[in-house]
Amino acid sequence: IAVLFLLIAGPILAAEPPTTKWYGGIGIGSNSNDSTKDATQDWQGIVHAICGSPACTSSGSADTSVTGVNLFAGYRFSDQLAIEGGYVNLGKFKGNTTTTGGGLSQNSSLSLKASALSVAAVGFLPVTADKQGLLIGKIGLARWEADVNLSSSGPAGNLSASGSESGTDPVVGVGYEHRFGGFGVRALYERYKADDEAVTRLSLSLVGYF
């Protein structure tokens, strides 16, 4: 809906394409990942096995989508190509499990918090007559960090564990940007690789041209 509105309103509100080279923006997006869900289910199975009774019942829930903010800044070498650096909060995913029965009542929680710094080449392709509406293609590298925390309490024992991981992996994205003189609006779909996992992100950002 937002993109359709911009396509309709763009020719009315738009000024000439910016001649400045620098730009920056801030946005918010939805991050999706199944790692916490999978880990929560695995832990639920472990505790259920510890119970060792057919009377045991287990329940659990986990986030597969959370909200996070992003910041970015770039320099345009031409109307079609820019180099862009950015920071993204990939969010904090949480999971919880409860196992009861056979004299056991074990409660557990798991969290995964991640963020990334990236450098990428960004290509722009005008798709409107006034050249204010552009398709975006993005490819680069992201340095990501993730913190994992696990806690469990009950008759099966009390456990608290934490760990951190980091790495550098590809990031790719596609989207649409519409410019209104000195500012613009960008909708972007991205995929952040992290070892054997990936976080996908759909964001909406406000862009300023300086």
Side-chain angles (χ1 to χ4, degrees), residues 149-162:
N149 292 279
L150 170 66
S151 63
S152 184
S153 60
N158 296 325
L159 171 67
S160 179
S162 62

Side-chain angles (χ1 to χ4, degrees), residues 1-8:
I1 294 173
V3 171
L4 180 60
F5 168 78
L6 292 174
L7 287 171
I8 296 173

Side-chain angles (χ1 to χ4, degrees), residues 2 29 51 66-67 79 93 106 111 128 133 140 168 176 192 197-198 208:
C51 178
V66 296
T67 301
D79 290 339
F93 297 82
Q106 192 80 15
S111 69
T128 59
T168 302
Y176 177 82
Y192 287 83
E197 301 291 337

Side-chain angles (χ1 to χ4, degrees), residues 42-43 70 91 119 173:
D42 291 343
W43 180 251
N70 61 281
V119 176

Side-chain angles (χ1 to χ4, degrees), residues 39-53:
T40 299
Q41 291 175 341
D42 291 343
W43 180 251
Q44 182 177 326
I46 292 172
V47 177
H48 193 91
I50 293 174
C51 178
S53 170

